[in-house]
Amino acid sequence: MKFGVRKPSLKKSIKARTTGKIKRKVKSSVNPLYGKKGMGYVNNPKRAVYNKVYNKTTVGINPLSKLSTPSHTSTKTSSIKSDQAIGYMKKEKKQETVPVRNPVEKWIRRVIRRDDSDTKIITRTVITEQYTVKEMLDIQEEARSCLHTYNQSMRYLTDTLNAEVFFPRLQEAEESLSTLVSLTQNHSFLVAEGDNVIEAQNRLLEEKENIIKQFVHTHFSESIKGADRLKTDRGRRNRLKSNYNELSTYFSDLPQSTVEMINTIWNSVIPEKDLINKK
């Protein structure tokens, strides 16, 4: 790990302000999550940790600036105060019906405006959301954690052939995505990510049955291959029944149509009387 002053590069400094700036704008327009704080830990945790340590142990010298300062320059006192400062506030105009209490106003309304009503409609600006910097950071961290959990779970779904891994991870992906959608809906400063996670949730719900079916077929094929490698018929039957029982454990969480589909597939290698329908 490097310590001390980083080697300045005029070429890289200029490129970051020209070509690099254009590329970042293009990527941001395609992927709304690009450049968001915390995405480095999601996409490449090893590199993110390295960069964090590198920026803490070295000092950057900007050849385009007259004053060189460490890249991690920050004042602890100001950061502590900023935690308590208001970082985001959302205001909305709302109409309210209130009684007319002023006698002069009542007289004017009745005589001049010919309005006999003792109530009036007023518009007030009210604060609907307000967060300190610390609260915003905590909410953003929770959102990043949910996104990381979702991405990790979806990777497991495509890699595993173990039912004891697949179904809990599928549920974990649903729950983390649901929490992320709730966060973006309840906290408007996260709205930039909201549309994408809502679309991801809708896709997951639409494709959930197909994802399960694909896993079931792959799991069944691998079970047959594994059983065929055994020497005795009894061993093959026991292996197949064991693999089927792995799936049957989760029947209570599956739609009836999916359970019937699983039983139909496995009925070709296991007698129907041995099939367990726990739905």
Side-chain angles (χ1 to χ4, degrees), residues 170-231:
L170 179 60
Q171 183 178 1
E172 189 177 58
E174 286 187 90
E175 291 175 353
S176 60
L177 198 54
S178 177
T179 302
L180 186 57
V181 170
S182 178
L183 286 172
T184 58
Q185 290 177 334
N186 294 331
H187 307 291
S188 58
F189 66 89
L190 292 175
V191 72
E193 302 173 11
D195 292 339
N196 291 302
V197 295
I198 291 175
E199 289 177 5
Q201 185 185 42
N202 291 335
R203 285 196 302 271
L204 180 60
L205 293 176
E206 291 173 358
E207 296 296 327
K208 180 180 177 180
E209 187 172 357
N210 291 332
I211 293 173
I212 294 175
K213 286 181 178 180
Q214 183 176 356
F215 169 78
V216 168
H217 284 288
T218 306
H219 177 268
F220 176 76
S221 299
E222 293 299 319
S223 298
I224 297 296
K225 292 178 182 178
D228 288 343
R229 286 194 288 266
L230 300 179
K231 296 181 179 180

Side-chain angles (χ1 to χ4, degrees), residues 160-168 215-216 218-220 222-223 238-254 262-263 266 270 274-276 278:
T160 186
L161 292 174
N162 188 344
E164 294 178 355
V165 174
F166 176 84
F167 288 103
F215 169 78
V216 168
T218 306
H219 177 268
F220 176 76
E222 293 299 319
S223 298
N238 290 338
R239 171 65 68 84
L240 291 173
K241 289 186 68 174
S242 176
N243 290 339
Y244 170 79
N245 289 336
E246 288 181 6
L247 295 176
S248 67
T249 303
Y250 301 95
F251 278 2
S252 60
D253 301 325
L254 300 177
I262 294 174
N263 284 336
W266 280 89
I270 297 179
D274 294 333
L275 297 179
I276 302 173
K278 295 185 179 181

